[in-house]
Amino acid sequence: LMRSCNLGFSSMGLTFWELTYLNIPSIIFSGSTRERPVCEFIGSEGYAYRMGDYAEKDWHEEWSKKLRSFMEEDTISKLRFTALKKMVNIRGTELVAKEMASI
């Protein structure tokens, strides 16, 4: 289902990383305090479009403005989501285990 999408909308959980792995550009938001720093970093680096934070006052008005701006400015073409995929290690635990074993 995800593979057929042109754009994802996700918090910073597993779904975002699945979208990244599938090379799908994303609009992101932080859904918890724990997700906030990752969301800020991903957005500031241009890997995804940062919509905002779950705790923002009047989020619905702000997010509506941001979404309109996103669509009008063709922001999707400026996202660096494929660069982020190159840094995502889908087999992370396996590689860490091998490295530990070699040490």
Side-chain angles (χ1 to χ4, degrees), residues 6-60:
N6 295 320
L7 179 67
F9 191 89
S10 175
S11 68
M12 294 308 305
L14 182 57
T15 299
F16 172 73
W17 298 106
E18 291 170 338
L19 290 166
T20 299
Y21 184 74
L22 293 170
N23 283 322
I24 299 170
S26 298
I27 295 173
I28 56 172
F29 60 93
S30 54
S32 69
T33 303
R34 176 186 54 80
E35 292 178 351
R36 186 178 293 138
V38 177
C39 188
E40 288 173 353
F41 173 77
I42 296 293
S44 69
E45 292 296 313
Y47 297 132
Y49 183 77
R50 184 173 180 264
M51 186 63 71
D53 186 70
Y54 76 100
E56 287 178 1
K57 183 181 178 191
D58 299 324
W59 65 269
H60 51 292

Side-chain angles (χ1 to χ4, degrees), residues 32-100:
S32 69
T33 303
R34 176 186 54 80
E35 292 178 351
R36 186 178 293 138
V38 177
C39 188
E40 288 173 353
F41 173 77
I42 296 293
S44 69
E45 292 296 313
Y47 297 132
Y49 183 77
R50 184 173 180 264
M51 186 63 71
D53 186 70
Y54 76 100
E56 287 178 1
K57 183 181 178 191
D58 299 324
W59 65 269
H60 51 292
E61 292 173 19
E62 289 301 312
W63 291 18
S64 178
K65 290 176 194 173
K66 287 181 179 179
L67 185 58
R68 193 174 309 112
S69 173
F70 175 85
M71 301 304 278
E72 290 173 355
E73 296 176 17
D74 188 30
T75 307
I76 197 168
S77 66
K78 299 171 189 156
L79 295 178
R80 301 174 49 228
F81 56 95
T82 55
L84 180 60
K85 180 185 177 181
K86 293 176 185 174
M87 293 184 275
V88 174
N89 181 355
I90 197 71
R91 298 179 313 129
T93 54
E94 178 184 334
L95 294 175
V96 169
K98 286 181 181 179
E99 183 66 23
M100 289 172 56

